Amino acid sequence: MRYFLALALIMSLLACENEPVSFNYRIEGPMRATLLVDSKSGERLPFLLKPGSQMDSIAVVNGKEQLWVPLKQKGDSLFITLTPYPSEIKARWKGNSLEGYWYNYNKGPDYRIPFEATPVDPELTKSKDYGFDLAERYEVWFEDEEDKWPAIAELGQEQNQVFGTFRTETGDYRYLDGQLHKDGQLTLACFDGAHAFLFKAELNNSGQLANGVFYSGNHYQAQWQGTPNASFQLTDPDSLSALLPDFSAADFEIRLPNGRTLSYGDSLLQNQATLIQILGTWCPNCRDETEYLKTVNERYANRGLRILAFSFEATRDTDLAEKRISDYREQMEVPYPMFHAGFANKKKATEVFPMLDRFLSYPTLIYLDREMNVRKIHTGFNGPATSEYTSFVNQSDQLIEQLLIE
């Protein structure tokens, strides 16, 4: 009898051994994620992931901003599609943590950065007062091997928690979130699926931000310094580009996928106030401008305003570029036409829009009256993370109102 009981037990154990193991992986709450932006130093860019209630979406959190994107899970693998960009996170569970890579296909099929995520420890996220106080506004200078350029840091602080952004003359670095550590080190970061920005600096005894390093993904670094300066100003974005002397009206020519050529004399543009948006679907500042223009279209399209977007893409493959534009327009619910204008470089943009004396930044917004006269050229975009956004919206709306009643 004992023999049969032992045999039955052995057979039972073998049967259990052969059964497929059932996993129940699930993100139960916020997770602290990081990207390895410098493999030599081990420097990591931190950001927060916040799951949705249905487990089919997740928020990438940057300070005051939450970007909700699709989430899929298959077995022990997790996939985060970082819409509207051709970008994704692929990871696998290791215990209660995730390990994998962020892929940014705009930078090529092989561009990836190691990714990790662990459950948030509430004790580690509590605010602390280390006795350091940041200024609200800094004059900042960035410098790499080829160039030097100014910026303004707009910062807010709640004990050791820091938030804000950097404004440059061609746009802002969007919503930044970070900390002042107990040794006076400042960390600010932003990850939005297109860009991975990490800013490090030391707050010294004179209140300056010294020995700063700016990481953009794992492919670029620049040095920076910041000095408190409430009166420092950047060049007016309405003065960075202008019409060449021989032009008084808009002049451009785009060959559309259907073979038609669209130019400033096209019947599509006659007798209508028009905004021309020059953008790239790979560009987060362009995304912020697109969100603003969607509200403009909702308010003014029925009064005769037309918006046309010309997108310069980060690929020379025409079919792929047009697919990215189509996907972007669908995912962003863009209500106005978007045309593929070519490869994303500044020389190409001036070839397409030959009336510009120079082209400095994606996005650039051109305001035209009913006679196709250029009334304003606005370079770059200071989005909702900046102190300039409300002022820009008010001035832009006033000009649009004027163009529509003339």
Side-chain angles (χ1 to χ4, degrees), residues 67-70 80-87 192-193 287 331-332:
L67 299 171
W68 287 95
V69 294
I80 301 173
T81 305
L82 295 157
T83 55
Y85 311 111
S87 164
D192 54 23
R287 177 182 183 173
Q331 293 161 0
M332 290 284 291

Side-chain angles (χ1 to χ4, degrees), residues 2 37 63 79 180 206 219 292 305 362 373 390:
R2 290 180 180 176
V37 294
F79 306 88
L180 260 175
S206 62
H219 62 283
Y292 162 67
L305 180 72
Y362 299 96
N373 295 307
T390 299

Side-chain angles (χ1 to χ4, degrees), residues 35 47 49 58 60 69-72 78-91 100-109 111-115 191-194:
L35 297 173
F47 62 98
L49 292 173
I58 195 165
V60 179
V69 294
L71 168 67
K72 291 183 180 180
L78 179 142
F79 306 88
I80 301 173
T81 305
L82 295 157
T83 55
Y85 311 111
S87 164
E88 65 179 336
I89 292 172
K90 298 179 182 179
Y101 293 91
W102 168 51
Y103 297 82
N104 186 351
Y105 302 117
N106 265 323
K107 296 187 179 297
Y111 186 93
R112 68 179 191 175
I113 296 179
F115 160 89
F191 174 68
D192 54 23

Side-chain angles (χ1 to χ4, degrees), residues 284-327:
N285 285 148
C286 301
R287 177 182 183 173
D288 287 336
E289 183 180 77
T290 297
E291 292 289 2
Y292 162 67
L293 291 178
K294 285 165 59 178
T295 68
V296 168
N297 188 81
E298 183 178 356
R299 284 179 289 153
Y300 296 115
N302 62 355
R303 293 178 54 188
L305 180 72
R306 180 177 295 280
I307 303 174
L308 300 175
F310 296 89
S311 191
F312 292 81
E313 292 302 299
T315 177
R316 297 184 187 275
D317 184 324
T318 299
D319 292 338
L320 178 58
E322 290 172 0
K323 182 181 186 307
R324 286 180 179 175
I325 293 169
S326 177
D327 290 346

Side-chain angles (χ1 to χ4, degrees), residues 266-380:
D266 195 280
S267 59
L268 180 67
L269 301 172
Q270 297 304 302
N271 301 316
Q272 284 190 285
T274 303
L275 303 185
I276 292 179
Q277 181 191 24
I278 305 174
L279 77 156
T281 64
W282 44 269
C283 161
N285 285 148
C286 301
R287 177 182 183 173
D288 287 336
E289 183 180 77
T290 297
E291 292 289 2
Y292 162 67
L293 291 178
K294 285 165 59 178
T295 68
V296 168
N297 188 81
E298 183 178 356
R299 284 179 289 153
Y300 296 115
N302 62 355
R303 293 178 54 188
L305 180 72
R306 180 177 295 280
I307 303 174
L308 300 175
F310 296 89
S311 191
F312 292 81
E313 292 302 299
T315 177
R316 297 184 187 275
D317 184 324
T318 299
D319 292 338
L320 178 58
E322 290 172 0
K323 182 181 186 307
R324 286 180 179 175
I325 293 169
S326 177
D327 290 346
Y328 181 91
R329 191 178 181 209
E330 178 181 354
Q331 293 161 0
M332 290 284 291
E333 299 181 343
V334 179
Y336 48 83
M338 294 184 66
F339 305 112
H340 178 213
F343 181 65
N345 66 38
K346 295 174 183 177
K347 180 180 179 181
K348 178 62 178 177
T350 55
E351 291 174 357
V352 173
F353 296 94
M355 73 281 197
L356 299 178
D357 65 344
R358 58 179 175 167
F359 182 85
L360 292 178
S361 176
Y362 299 96
T364 290
L365 187 62
I366 304 174
Y367 297 73
L368 307 174
D369 63 21
R370 296 180 189 273
E371 303 299 322
M372 295 299 292
N373 295 307
V374 175
R375 301 292 288 273
K376 183 164 82 168
I377 303 170
H378 186 86
T379 297

